[in-house]
Amino acid sequence: MKGPGDVVQAIIRARAEGDVDGAIGLIAPESRDQGRVVSHADWRRKWEGLLASGLEVVTERTVEDGEWVANLYRLRSAPGSGGAETRGMDMVRVVDGRLVEHWIFVEPDPA
């Protein structure tokens, strides 16, 4: 079985490649996002909106501790939209090879 960090990296990679189904396959059928119980359909809507926005998400650092994985991100707006950049961090909990909990914090837009 893959470790939590491997699962999170596989989700990030699949999402970056536009493989929403592949990313969703690594999420428990019922998980928590920002404390709310969500379904695969909720994740699909969230990620399809992210992909459509053209937002670039670059992982700068990853730390793994047991079931938890924390990622530090740099986020850039889509080309041609002013080039705004900000940073964010998320914490993901993985149990039995599937994401079960996700929290994200993003700095305010510097503009």
Side-chain angles (χ1 to χ4, degrees):
M1 181 189 309
K2 293 182 178 183
D6 298 322
V7 172
V8 171
Q9 291 307 312
I11 290 170
I12 291 170
R13 190 171 35 259
R15 194 182 61 214
E17 294 170 356
D19 181 9
V20 174
D21 289 332
I24 288 173
L26 296 168
I27 298 175
E30 187 176 279
S31 59
R32 292 191 174 271
D33 188 25
Q34 298 296 101
R36 291 181 321 121
V37 175
V38 293
S39 67
H40 283 173
D42 295 319
W43 284 104
R44 179 176 303 285
R45 277 190 297 278
K46 179 178 180 174
W47 286 342
E48 287 176 347
L50 180 68
L51 290 169
S53 75
L55 182 70
E56 179 186 11
V57 180
V58 177
T59 306
E60 293 185 335
R61 287 185 183 76
T62 299
V63 176
E64 183 176 348
D65 184 18
E67 296 177 336
W68 288 94
V69 179
N71 296 290
L72 177 63
Y73 297 107
R74 186 170 12 99
L75 301 102
R76 289 190 198 128
S77 60
S81 65
E85 186 172 308
T86 192
R87 298 171 70 91
M89 181 175 205
D90 73 358
M91 289 184 61
V92 178
R93 184 170 165 237
V94 176
V95 175
D96 296 329
R98 291 195 173 196
L99 181 152
V100 296
E101 188 172 355
H102 174 257
W103 294 90
I104 188 165
F105 305 93
V106 179
E107 290 181 344
D109 188 343

